[in-house]
Structures are given as structure tokens and as C-alpha cells.
PDB file of all heavy atoms in Angstrom:
ATOM      1  N   ASN M   1       2.095   3.356  12.979  1.00  0.00           N
ATOM      2  CA  ASN M   1       2.104   2.239  12.046  1.00  0.00           C
ATOM      3  C   ASN M   1       0.833   2.278  11.216  1.00  0.00           C
ATOM      4  O   ASN M   1      -0.122   2.968  11.554  1.00  0.00           O
ATOM      5  CB  ASN M   1       2.266   0.901  12.763  1.00  0.00           C
ATOM      6  CG  ASN M   1       1.036   0.500  13.541  1.00  0.00           C
ATOM      7  OD1 ASN M   1       0.537   1.254  14.366  1.00  0.00           O
ATOM      8  ND2 ASN M   1       0.536  -0.676  13.269  1.00  0.00           N
ATOM      9  N   GLY M   2       0.848   1.577  10.109  1.00  0.00           N
ATOM     10  CA  GLY M   2      -0.331   1.537   9.264  1.00  0.00           C
ATOM     11  C   GLY M   2      -0.019   1.021   7.885  1.00  0.00           C
ATOM     12  O   GLY M   2       0.984   0.348   7.662  1.00  0.00           O
ATOM     13  N   PHE M   3      -0.906   1.367   6.953  1.00  0.00           N
ATOM     14  CA  PHE M   3      -0.823   0.897   5.576  1.00  0.00           C
ATOM     15  C   PHE M   3      -0.900   2.044   4.595  1.00  0.00           C
ATOM     16  O   PHE M   3      -1.633   3.021   4.812  1.00  0.00           O
ATOM     17  CB  PHE M   3      -2.018  -0.008   5.242  1.00  0.00           C
ATOM     18  CG  PHE M   3      -1.987  -1.387   5.806  1.00  0.00           C
ATOM     19  CD1 PHE M   3      -3.177  -2.087   5.939  1.00  0.00           C
ATOM     20  CD2 PHE M   3      -0.817  -2.021   6.173  1.00  0.00           C
ATOM     21  CE1 PHE M   3      -3.201  -3.377   6.420  1.00  0.00           C
ATOM     22  CE2 PHE M   3      -0.824  -3.309   6.660  1.00  0.00           C
ATOM     23  CZ  PHE M   3      -2.017  -3.991   6.785  1.00  0.00           C
ATOM     24  N   MET M   4      -0.207   1.883   3.473  1.00  0.00           N
ATOM     25  CA  MET M   4      -0.452   2.647   2.261  1.00  0.00           C
ATOM     26  C   MET M   4      -1.016   1.614   1.284  1.00  0.00           C
ATOM     27  O   MET M   4      -0.421   0.564   1.068  1.00  0.00           O
ATOM     28  CB  MET M   4       0.834   3.260   1.707  1.00  0.00           C
ATOM     29  CG  MET M   4       0.616   4.014   0.416  1.00  0.00           C
ATOM     30  SD  MET M   4       2.048   4.991  -0.154  1.00  0.00           S
ATOM     31  CE  MET M   4       3.223   3.724  -0.542  1.00  0.00           C
ATOM     32  N   ILE M   5      -2.179   1.907   0.715  1.00  0.00           N
ATOM     33  CA  ILE M   5      -2.919   0.920  -0.076  1.00  0.00           C
ATOM     34  C   ILE M   5      -3.305   1.523  -1.414  1.00  0.00           C
ATOM     35  O   ILE M   5      -3.739   2.677  -1.483  1.00  0.00           O
ATOM     36  CB  ILE M   5      -4.205   0.497   0.656  1.00  0.00           C
ATOM     37  CG1 ILE M   5      -3.879   0.022   2.062  1.00  0.00           C
ATOM     38  CG2 ILE M   5      -4.960  -0.560  -0.135  1.00  0.00           C
ATOM     39  CD1 ILE M   5      -5.070  -0.019   2.987  1.00  0.00           C
ATOM     40  N   GLN M   6      -3.166   0.724  -2.466  1.00  0.00           N
ATOM     41  CA  GLN M   6      -3.629   1.161  -3.779  1.00  0.00           C
ATOM     42  C   GLN M   6      -4.178  -0.032  -4.540  1.00  0.00           C
ATOM     43  O   GLN M   6      -3.624  -1.116  -4.501  1.00  0.00           O
ATOM     44  CB  GLN M   6      -2.491   1.775  -4.572  1.00  0.00           C
ATOM     45  CG  GLN M   6      -2.925   2.241  -5.952  1.00  0.00           C
ATOM     46  CD  GLN M   6      -1.852   3.020  -6.644  1.00  0.00           C
ATOM     47  OE1 GLN M   6      -1.422   4.046  -6.165  1.00  0.00           O
ATOM     48  NE2 GLN M   6      -1.405   2.529  -7.779  1.00  0.00           N
ATOM     49  N   ARG M   7      -5.265   0.198  -5.221  1.00  0.00           N
ATOM     50  CA  ARG M   7      -5.844  -0.835  -6.085  1.00  0.00           C
ATOM     51  C   ARG M   7      -5.006  -0.896  -7.356  1.00  0.00           C
ATOM     52  O   ARG M   7      -4.712   0.108  -7.962  1.00  0.00           O
ATOM     53  CB  ARG M   7      -7.294  -0.497  -6.419  1.00  0.00           C
ATOM     54  CG  ARG M   7      -7.967  -1.543  -7.290  1.00  0.00           C
ATOM     55  CD  ARG M   7      -9.425  -1.204  -7.515  1.00  0.00           C
ATOM     56  NE  ARG M   7     -10.229  -1.381  -6.330  1.00  0.00           N
ATOM     57  CZ  ARG M   7     -10.734  -2.557  -5.931  1.00  0.00           C
ATOM     58  NH1 ARG M   7     -10.495  -3.635  -6.619  1.00  0.00           N
ATOM     59  NH2 ARG M   7     -11.471  -2.623  -4.837  1.00  0.00           N
ATOM     60  N   ARG M   8      -4.628  -2.104  -7.719  1.00  0.00           N
ATOM     61  CA  ARG M   8      -3.867  -2.324  -8.952  1.00  0.00           C
ATOM     62  C   ARG M   8      -4.630  -3.274  -9.849  1.00  0.00           C
ATOM     63  O   ARG M   8      -5.192  -4.252  -9.385  1.00  0.00           O
ATOM     64  CB  ARG M   8      -2.509  -2.969  -8.648  1.00  0.00           C
ATOM     65  CG  ARG M   8      -1.562  -2.082  -7.918  1.00  0.00           C
ATOM     66  CD  ARG M   8      -0.929  -1.129  -8.878  1.00  0.00           C
ATOM     67  NE  ARG M   8       0.044  -0.326  -8.148  1.00  0.00           N
ATOM     68  CZ  ARG M   8       0.730   0.629  -8.701  1.00  0.00           C
ATOM     69  NH1 ARG M   8       0.584   0.892  -9.959  1.00  0.00           N
ATOM     70  NH2 ARG M   8       1.573   1.325  -8.001  1.00  0.00           N
ATOM     71  N   ALA M   9      -4.658  -2.989 -11.141  1.00  0.00           N
ATOM     72  CA  ALA M   9      -5.266  -3.907 -12.106  1.00  0.00           C
ATOM     73  C   ALA M   9      -4.156  -4.842 -12.587  1.00  0.00           C
ATOM     74  O   ALA M   9      -3.107  -4.395 -13.017  1.00  0.00           O
ATOM     75  CB  ALA M   9      -5.857  -3.145 -13.274  1.00  0.00           C
ATOM     76  N   ARG M  10      -4.399  -6.135 -12.481  1.00  0.00           N
ATOM     77  CA  ARG M  10      -3.418  -7.134 -12.918  1.00  0.00           C
ATOM     78  C   ARG M  10      -4.084  -8.097 -13.880  1.00  0.00           C
ATOM     79  O   ARG M  10      -5.249  -8.420 -13.741  1.00  0.00           O
ATOM     80  CB  ARG M  10      -2.864  -7.885 -11.730  1.00  0.00           C
ATOM     81  CG  ARG M  10      -2.292  -6.922 -10.703  1.00  0.00           C
ATOM     82  CD  ARG M  10      -1.212  -7.532  -9.942  1.00  0.00           C
ATOM     83  NE  ARG M  10      -0.821  -6.554  -8.939  1.00  0.00           N
ATOM     84  CZ  ARG M  10       0.397  -6.313  -8.600  1.00  0.00           C
ATOM     85  NH1 ARG M  10       1.357  -6.985  -9.140  1.00  0.00           N
ATOM     86  NH2 ARG M  10       0.696  -5.421  -7.695  1.00  0.00           N
ATOM     87  N   GLU M  11      -3.321  -8.573 -14.803  1.00  0.00           N
ATOM     88  CA  GLU M  11      -3.865  -9.504 -15.780  1.00  0.00           C
ATOM     89  C   GLU M  11      -3.808 -10.927 -15.226  1.00  0.00           C
ATOM     90  O   GLU M  11      -2.802 -11.335 -14.653  1.00  0.00           O
ATOM     91  CB  GLU M  11      -3.038  -9.427 -17.066  1.00  0.00           C
ATOM     92  CG  GLU M  11      -3.692 -10.116 -18.226  1.00  0.00           C
ATOM     93  CD  GLU M  11      -2.944  -9.856 -19.501  1.00  0.00           C
ATOM     94  OE1 GLU M  11      -2.708  -8.687 -19.821  1.00  0.00           O
ATOM     95  OE2 GLU M  11      -2.595 -10.840 -20.159  1.00  0.00           O
ATOM     96  N   THR M  12      -4.901 -11.650 -15.382  1.00  0.00           N
ATOM     97  CA  THR M  12      -4.918 -13.047 -14.938  1.00  0.00           C
ATOM     98  C   THR M  12      -4.378 -13.920 -16.060  1.00  0.00           C
ATOM     99  O   THR M  12      -4.619 -13.667 -17.240  1.00  0.00           O
ATOM    100  CB  THR M  12      -6.339 -13.505 -14.555  1.00  0.00           C
ATOM    101  OG1 THR M  12      -7.178 -13.359 -15.688  1.00  0.00           O
ATOM    102  CG2 THR M  12      -6.889 -12.692 -13.403  1.00  0.00           C
ATOM    103  N   ALA M  13      -3.660 -14.961 -15.716  1.00  0.00           N
ATOM    104  CA  ALA M  13      -3.039 -15.829 -16.709  1.00  0.00           C
ATOM    105  C   ALA M  13      -4.073 -16.673 -17.444  1.00  0.00           C
ATOM    106  O   ALA M  13      -3.894 -17.016 -18.594  1.00  0.00           O
ATOM    107  CB  ALA M  13      -2.010 -16.722 -16.032  1.00  0.00           C
ATOM    108  N   GLU M  14      -5.176 -17.007 -16.784  1.00  0.00           N
ATOM    109  CA  GLU M  14      -6.159 -17.910 -17.367  1.00  0.00           C
ATOM    110  C   GLU M  14      -6.967 -17.281 -18.487  1.00  0.00           C
ATOM    111  O   GLU M  14      -7.014 -17.788 -19.593  1.00  0.00           O
ATOM    112  CB  GLU M  14      -7.130 -18.408 -16.289  1.00  0.00           C
ATOM    113  CG  GLU M  14      -6.535 -19.457 -15.391  1.00  0.00           C
ATOM    114  CD  GLU M  14      -7.542 -19.917 -14.369  1.00  0.00           C
ATOM    115  OE1 GLU M  14      -8.746 -19.865 -14.645  1.00  0.00           O
ATOM    116  OE2 GLU M  14      -7.112 -20.327 -13.287  1.00  0.00           O
ATOM    117  N   GLU M  15      -7.635 -16.197 -18.229  1.00  0.00           N
ATOM    118  CA  GLU M  15      -8.601 -15.657 -19.174  1.00  0.00           C
ATOM    119  C   GLU M  15      -8.123 -14.396 -19.891  1.00  0.00           C
ATOM    120  O   GLU M  15      -8.785 -13.925 -20.788  1.00  0.00           O
ATOM    121  CB  GLU M  15      -9.912 -15.356 -18.449  1.00  0.00           C
ATOM    122  CG  GLU M  15     -10.504 -16.578 -17.782  1.00  0.00           C
ATOM    123  CD  GLU M  15     -11.711 -16.220 -16.934  1.00  0.00           C
ATOM    124  OE1 GLU M  15     -12.165 -15.072 -16.981  1.00  0.00           O
ATOM    125  OE2 GLU M  15     -12.182 -17.104 -16.227  1.00  0.00           O
ATOM    126  N   GLY M  16      -7.013 -13.829 -19.487  1.00  0.00           N
ATOM    127  CA  GLY M  16      -6.540 -12.601 -20.105  1.00  0.00           C
ATOM    128  C   GLY M  16      -7.336 -11.373 -19.717  1.00  0.00           C
ATOM    129  O   GLY M  16      -7.172 -10.314 -20.297  1.00  0.00           O
ATOM    130  N   GLN M  17      -8.235 -11.501 -18.726  1.00  0.00           N
ATOM    131  CA  GLN M  17      -9.011 -10.372 -18.245  1.00  0.00           C
ATOM    132  C   GLN M  17      -8.317  -9.767 -17.033  1.00  0.00           C
ATOM    133  O   GLN M  17      -7.551 -10.436 -16.346  1.00  0.00           O
ATOM    134  CB  GLN M  17     -10.417 -10.821 -17.852  1.00  0.00           C
ATOM    135  CG  GLN M  17     -11.228 -11.337 -19.014  1.00  0.00           C
ATOM    136  CD  GLN M  17     -12.599 -11.796 -18.567  1.00  0.00           C
ATOM    137  OE1 GLN M  17     -12.913 -11.797 -17.391  1.00  0.00           O
ATOM    138  NE2 GLN M  17     -13.419 -12.188 -19.517  1.00  0.00           N
ATOM    139  N   GLU M  18      -8.608  -8.502 -16.785  1.00  0.00           N
ATOM    140  CA  GLU M  18      -8.010  -7.853 -15.628  1.00  0.00           C
ATOM    141  C   GLU M  18      -8.719  -8.234 -14.351  1.00  0.00           C
ATOM    142  O   GLU M  18      -9.930  -8.400 -14.326  1.00  0.00           O
ATOM    143  CB  GLU M  18      -8.040  -6.331 -15.794  1.00  0.00           C
ATOM    144  CG  GLU M  18      -7.068  -5.849 -16.827  1.00  0.00           C
ATOM    145  CD  GLU M  18      -6.926  -4.343 -16.828  1.00  0.00           C
ATOM    146  OE1 GLU M  18      -7.480  -3.700 -15.928  1.00  0.00           O
ATOM    147  OE2 GLU M  18      -6.256  -3.831 -17.719  1.00  0.00           O
ATOM    148  N   GLN M  19      -7.942  -8.392 -13.305  1.00  0.00           N
ATOM    149  CA  GLN M  19      -8.489  -8.701 -11.987  1.00  0.00           C
ATOM    150  C   GLN M  19      -7.925  -7.673 -11.017  1.00  0.00           C
ATOM    151  O   GLN M  19      -6.719  -7.439 -10.989  1.00  0.00           O
ATOM    152  CB  GLN M  19      -8.069 -10.110 -11.573  1.00  0.00           C
ATOM    153  CG  GLN M  19      -8.492 -10.470 -10.176  1.00  0.00           C
ATOM    154  CD  GLN M  19      -7.975 -11.849  -9.772  1.00  0.00           C
ATOM    155  OE1 GLN M  19      -7.466 -12.594 -10.584  1.00  0.00           O
ATOM    156  NE2 GLN M  19      -8.095 -12.151  -8.511  1.00  0.00           N
ATOM    157  N   ASP M  20      -8.785  -7.041 -10.246  1.00  0.00           N
ATOM    158  CA  ASP M  20      -8.334  -6.035  -9.289  1.00  0.00           C
ATOM    159  C   ASP M  20      -7.715  -6.695  -8.069  1.00  0.00           C
ATOM    160  O   ASP M  20      -8.238  -7.653  -7.531  1.00  0.00           O
ATOM    161  CB  ASP M  20      -9.495  -5.154  -8.842  1.00  0.00           C
ATOM    162  CG  ASP M  20      -9.941  -4.209  -9.932  1.00  0.00           C
ATOM    163  OD1 ASP M  20      -9.102  -3.770 -10.727  1.00  0.00           O
ATOM    164  OD2 ASP M  20     -11.135  -3.914  -9.971  1.00  0.00           O
ATOM    165  N   THR M  21      -6.590  -6.161  -7.642  1.00  0.00           N
ATOM    166  CA  THR M  21      -5.936  -6.591  -6.411  1.00  0.00           C
ATOM    167  C   THR M  21      -5.451  -5.339  -5.693  1.00  0.00           C
ATOM    168  O   THR M  21      -5.442  -4.258  -6.259  1.00  0.00           O
ATOM    169  CB  THR M  21      -4.740  -7.524  -6.697  1.00  0.00           C
ATOM    170  OG1 THR M  21      -3.810  -6.829  -7.521  1.00  0.00           O
ATOM    171  CG2 THR M  21      -5.179  -8.801  -7.376  1.00  0.00           C
ATOM    172  N   LEU M  22      -5.038  -5.508  -4.462  1.00  0.00           N
ATOM    173  CA  LEU M  22      -4.502  -4.387  -3.700  1.00  0.00           C
ATOM    174  C   LEU M  22      -2.994  -4.514  -3.566  1.00  0.00           C
ATOM    175  O   LEU M  22      -2.474  -5.604  -3.354  1.00  0.00           O
ATOM    176  CB  LEU M  22      -5.114  -4.344  -2.296  1.00  0.00           C
ATOM    177  CG  LEU M  22      -6.602  -4.058  -2.188  1.00  0.00           C
ATOM    178  CD1 LEU M  22      -7.016  -4.045  -0.729  1.00  0.00           C
ATOM    179  CD2 LEU M  22      -6.978  -2.759  -2.868  1.00  0.00           C
ATOM    180  N   GLU M  23      -2.335  -3.390  -3.674  1.00  0.00           N
ATOM    181  CA  GLU M  23      -0.923  -3.319  -3.335  1.00  0.00           C
ATOM    182  C   GLU M  23      -0.866  -2.626  -1.980  1.00  0.00           C
ATOM    183  O   GLU M  23      -1.370  -1.511  -1.826  1.00  0.00           O
ATOM    184  CB  GLU M  23      -0.160  -2.521  -4.381  1.00  0.00           C
ATOM    185  CG  GLU M  23       1.322  -2.504  -4.150  1.00  0.00           C
ATOM    186  CD  GLU M  23       2.078  -1.875  -5.310  1.00  0.00           C
ATOM    187  OE1 GLU M  23       1.484  -1.614  -6.365  1.00  0.00           O
ATOM    188  OE2 GLU M  23       3.287  -1.640  -5.121  1.00  0.00           O
ATOM    189  N   ILE M  24      -0.307  -3.303  -0.983  1.00  0.00           N
ATOM    190  CA  ILE M  24      -0.281  -2.778   0.392  1.00  0.00           C
ATOM    191  C   ILE M  24       1.161  -2.688   0.861  1.00  0.00           C
ATOM    192  O   ILE M  24       1.920  -3.650   0.775  1.00  0.00           O
ATOM    193  CB  ILE M  24      -1.088  -3.665   1.349  1.00  0.00           C
ATOM    194  CG1 ILE M  24      -2.550  -3.744   0.900  1.00  0.00           C
ATOM    195  CG2 ILE M  24      -0.990  -3.142   2.784  1.00  0.00           C
ATOM    196  CD1 ILE M  24      -3.409  -4.678   1.724  1.00  0.00           C
ATOM    197  N   LEU M  25       1.508  -1.522   1.368  1.00  0.00           N
ATOM    198  CA  LEU M  25       2.835  -1.299   1.922  1.00  0.00           C
ATOM    199  C   LEU M  25       2.667  -0.950   3.401  1.00  0.00           C
ATOM    200  O   LEU M  25       1.929  -0.012   3.737  1.00  0.00           O
ATOM    201  CB  LEU M  25       3.522  -0.146   1.183  1.00  0.00           C
ATOM    202  CG  LEU M  25       4.927   0.219   1.647  1.00  0.00           C
ATOM    203  CD1 LEU M  25       5.898  -0.915   1.348  1.00  0.00           C
ATOM    204  CD2 LEU M  25       5.384   1.485   0.960  1.00  0.00           C
ATOM    205  N   GLY M  26       3.291  -1.711   4.278  1.00  0.00           N
ATOM    206  CA  GLY M  26       3.228  -1.427   5.709  1.00  0.00           C
ATOM    207  C   GLY M  26       4.137  -0.264   6.059  1.00  0.00           C
ATOM    208  O   GLY M  26       5.240  -0.131   5.519  1.00  0.00           O
ATOM    209  N   LEU M  27       3.672   0.601   6.944  1.00  0.00           N
ATOM    210  CA  LEU M  27       4.440   1.775   7.370  1.00  0.00           C
ATOM    211  C   LEU M  27       4.673   1.716   8.873  1.00  0.00           C
ATOM    212  O   LEU M  27       3.778   1.318   9.625  1.00  0.00           O
ATOM    213  CB  LEU M  27       3.669   3.060   7.049  1.00  0.00           C
ATOM    214  CG  LEU M  27       3.235   3.273   5.604  1.00  0.00           C
ATOM    215  CD1 LEU M  27       2.297   4.471   5.510  1.00  0.00           C
ATOM    216  CD2 LEU M  27       4.445   3.475   4.727  1.00  0.00           C
ATOM    217  N   ILE M  28       5.854   2.133   9.292  1.00  0.00           N
ATOM    218  CA  ILE M  28       6.140   2.235  10.724  1.00  0.00           C
ATOM    219  C   ILE M  28       7.173   3.346  10.925  1.00  0.00           C
ATOM    220  O   ILE M  28       8.085   3.512  10.123  1.00  0.00           O
ATOM    221  CB  ILE M  28       6.626   0.898  11.312  1.00  0.00           C
ATOM    222  CG1 ILE M  28       6.694   0.982  12.830  1.00  0.00           C
ATOM    223  CG2 ILE M  28       7.952   0.472  10.712  1.00  0.00           C
ATOM    224  CD1 ILE M  28       6.775  -0.354  13.517  1.00  0.00           C
ATOM    225  N   SER M  29       6.974   4.125  11.968  1.00  0.00           N
ATOM    226  CA  SER M  29       7.885   5.215  12.285  1.00  0.00           C
ATOM    227  C   SER M  29       7.858   5.451  13.795  1.00  0.00           C
ATOM    228  O   SER M  29       6.786   5.506  14.390  1.00  0.00           O
ATOM    229  CB  SER M  29       7.455   6.488  11.548  1.00  0.00           C
ATOM    230  OG  SER M  29       8.276   7.577  11.893  1.00  0.00           O
ATOM    231  N   ALA M  30       9.030   5.569  14.393  1.00  0.00           N
ATOM    232  CA  ALA M  30       9.132   5.867  15.825  1.00  0.00           C
ATOM    233  C   ALA M  30       9.734   7.253  15.988  1.00  0.00           C
ATOM    234  O   ALA M  30      10.672   7.619  15.266  1.00  0.00           O
ATOM    235  CB  ALA M  30      10.004   4.830  16.520  1.00  0.00           C
ATOM    236  N   TYR M  31       9.203   8.045  16.919  1.00  0.00           N
ATOM    237  CA  TYR M  31       9.683   9.405  17.111  1.00  0.00           C
ATOM    238  C   TYR M  31       9.316   9.893  18.507  1.00  0.00           C
ATOM    239  O   TYR M  31       8.409   9.385  19.147  1.00  0.00           O
ATOM    240  CB  TYR M  31       9.107  10.349  16.043  1.00  0.00           C
ATOM    241  CG  TYR M  31       7.638  10.174  15.776  1.00  0.00           C
ATOM    242  CD1 TYR M  31       6.673  10.904  16.471  1.00  0.00           C
ATOM    243  CD2 TYR M  31       7.187   9.255  14.825  1.00  0.00           C
ATOM    244  CE1 TYR M  31       5.320  10.738  16.224  1.00  0.00           C
ATOM    245  CE2 TYR M  31       5.832   9.075  14.570  1.00  0.00           C
ATOM    246  CZ  TYR M  31       4.911   9.824  15.275  1.00  0.00           C
ATOM    247  OH  TYR M  31       3.568   9.645  15.026  1.00  0.00           O
ATOM    248  N   ARG M  32      10.048  10.876  18.963  1.00  0.00           N
ATOM    249  CA  ARG M  32       9.773  11.507  20.259  1.00  0.00           C
ATOM    250  C   ARG M  32       9.215  12.915  20.076  1.00  0.00           C
ATOM    251  O   ARG M  32       8.455  13.392  20.882  1.00  0.00           O
ATOM    252  CB  ARG M  32      11.038  11.563  21.102  1.00  0.00           C
ATOM    253  CG  ARG M  32      11.510  10.206  21.535  1.00  0.00           C
ATOM    254  CD  ARG M  32      12.673  10.331  22.522  1.00  0.00           C
ATOM    255  NE  ARG M  32      13.129   9.024  22.920  1.00  0.00           N
ATOM    256  CZ  ARG M  32      12.546   8.261  23.825  1.00  0.00           C
ATOM    257  NH1 ARG M  32      11.459   8.691  24.433  1.00  0.00           N
ATOM    258  NH2 ARG M  32      13.033   7.085  24.138  1.00  0.00           N
ATOM    259  N   GLU M  33       9.643  13.578  19.014  1.00  0.00           N
ATOM    260  CA  GLU M  33       9.226  14.947  18.711  1.00  0.00           C
ATOM    261  C   GLU M  33       8.532  14.958  17.353  1.00  0.00           C
ATOM    262  O   GLU M  33       8.755  14.063  16.538  1.00  0.00           O
ATOM    263  CB  GLU M  33      10.457  15.866  18.652  1.00  0.00           C
ATOM    264  CG  GLU M  33      11.289  15.893  19.926  1.00  0.00           C
ATOM    265  CD  GLU M  33      10.595  16.583  21.072  1.00  0.00           C
ATOM    266  OE1 GLU M  33       9.800  17.509  20.822  1.00  0.00           O
ATOM    267  OE2 GLU M  33      10.835  16.190  22.217  1.00  0.00           O
ATOM    268  N   PRO M  34       7.729  15.983  17.073  1.00  0.00           N
ATOM    269  CA  PRO M  34       7.149  16.084  15.727  1.00  0.00           C
ATOM    270  C   PRO M  34       8.256  16.075  14.670  1.00  0.00           C
ATOM    271  O   PRO M  34       9.310  16.679  14.847  1.00  0.00           O
ATOM    272  CB  PRO M  34       6.432  17.436  15.755  1.00  0.00           C
ATOM    273  CG  PRO M  34       6.113  17.656  17.199  1.00  0.00           C
ATOM    274  CD  PRO M  34       7.269  17.058  17.955  1.00  0.00           C
ATOM    275  N   CYS M  35       8.015  15.336  13.588  1.00  0.00           N
ATOM    276  CA  CYS M  35       8.991  15.240  12.504  1.00  0.00           C
ATOM    277  C   CYS M  35       8.254  14.958  11.195  1.00  0.00           C
ATOM    278  O   CYS M  35       7.040  14.761  11.189  1.00  0.00           O
ATOM    279  CB  CYS M  35      10.016  14.142  12.797  1.00  0.00           C
ATOM    280  SG  CYS M  35       9.311  12.480  12.818  1.00  0.00           S
ATOM    281  N   MET M  36       8.966  14.891  10.094  1.00  0.00           N
ATOM    282  CA  MET M  36       8.300  14.682   8.807  1.00  0.00           C
ATOM    283  C   MET M  36       7.733  13.277   8.661  1.00  0.00           C
ATOM    284  O   MET M  36       6.949  13.026   7.755  1.00  0.00           O
ATOM    285  CB  MET M  36       9.217  15.028   7.634  1.00  0.00           C
ATOM    286  CG  MET M  36      10.248  13.991   7.270  1.00  0.00           C
ATOM    287  SD  MET M  36      11.258  14.476   5.849  1.00  0.00           S
ATOM    288  CE  MET M  36      10.160  14.168   4.497  1.00  0.00           C
ATOM    289  N   TRP M  37       8.082  12.356   9.552  1.00  0.00           N
ATOM    290  CA  TRP M  37       7.592  10.981   9.470  1.00  0.00           C
ATOM    291  C   TRP M  37       6.551  10.680  10.541  1.00  0.00           C
ATOM    292  O   TRP M  37       6.221   9.532  10.771  1.00  0.00           O
ATOM    293  CB  TRP M  37       8.751   9.998   9.562  1.00  0.00           C
ATOM    294  CG  TRP M  37       9.763  10.268   8.495  1.00  0.00           C
ATOM    295  CD1 TRP M  37      11.031  10.746   8.670  1.00  0.00           C
ATOM    296  CD2 TRP M  37       9.589  10.137   7.086  1.00  0.00           C
ATOM    297  NE1 TRP M  37      11.651  10.912   7.462  1.00  0.00           N
ATOM    298  CE2 TRP M  37      10.790  10.537   6.470  1.00  0.00           C
ATOM    299  CE3 TRP M  37       8.536   9.731   6.276  1.00  0.00           C
ATOM    300  CZ2 TRP M  37      10.962  10.531   5.092  1.00  0.00           C
ATOM    301  CZ3 TRP M  37       8.705   9.720   4.896  1.00  0.00           C
ATOM    302  CH2 TRP M  37       9.906  10.117   4.328  1.00  0.00           C
ATOM    303  N   ASP M  38       6.012  11.719  11.190  1.00  0.00           N
ATOM    304  CA  ASP M  38       4.964  11.463  12.183  1.00  0.00           C
ATOM    305  C   ASP M  38       3.595  11.433  11.498  1.00  0.00           C
ATOM    306  O   ASP M  38       3.471  11.716  10.311  1.00  0.00           O
ATOM    307  CB  ASP M  38       5.022  12.463  13.350  1.00  0.00           C
ATOM    308  CG  ASP M  38       4.623  13.883  12.973  1.00  0.00           C
ATOM    309  OD1 ASP M  38       3.893  14.079  11.975  1.00  0.00           O
ATOM    310  OD2 ASP M  38       5.035  14.808  13.689  1.00  0.00           O
ATOM    311  N   ILE M  39       2.564  11.097  12.243  1.00  0.00           N
ATOM    312  CA  ILE M  39       1.230  10.902  11.675  1.00  0.00           C
ATOM    313  C   ILE M  39       0.670  12.176  11.046  1.00  0.00           C
ATOM    314  O   ILE M  39      -0.084  12.123  10.079  1.00  0.00           O
ATOM    315  CB  ILE M  39       0.260  10.331  12.734  1.00  0.00           C
ATOM    316  CG1 ILE M  39      -1.024   9.793  12.063  1.00  0.00           C
ATOM    317  CG2 ILE M  39      -0.043  11.367  13.807  1.00  0.00           C
ATOM    318  CD1 ILE M  39      -1.882   8.961  12.984  1.00  0.00           C
TER     319      ILE M  39
END
């Protein structure tokens, strides 16, 4: 299990300036043998 994380620039509604935020996707994979979805 874990995260895939990327910084995204998003525009704020108030000032029209960019504000950095993170886009985070949770990952999970179960396996018994080595496979393409293992660590």
C-alpha cells in the first residue's frame, strides 16, 4: 500500500493567483508471487 503524489498548481478563486496543492492517489495491491503490481 502507499501513495502516488504529485504537486499540482491550481488557481484560487479569490486572487487569481496559483496555489500549490497535492494530488494524492492511494495504492493497494495484494499478491502471493512476484507480479507487475508488487513493490
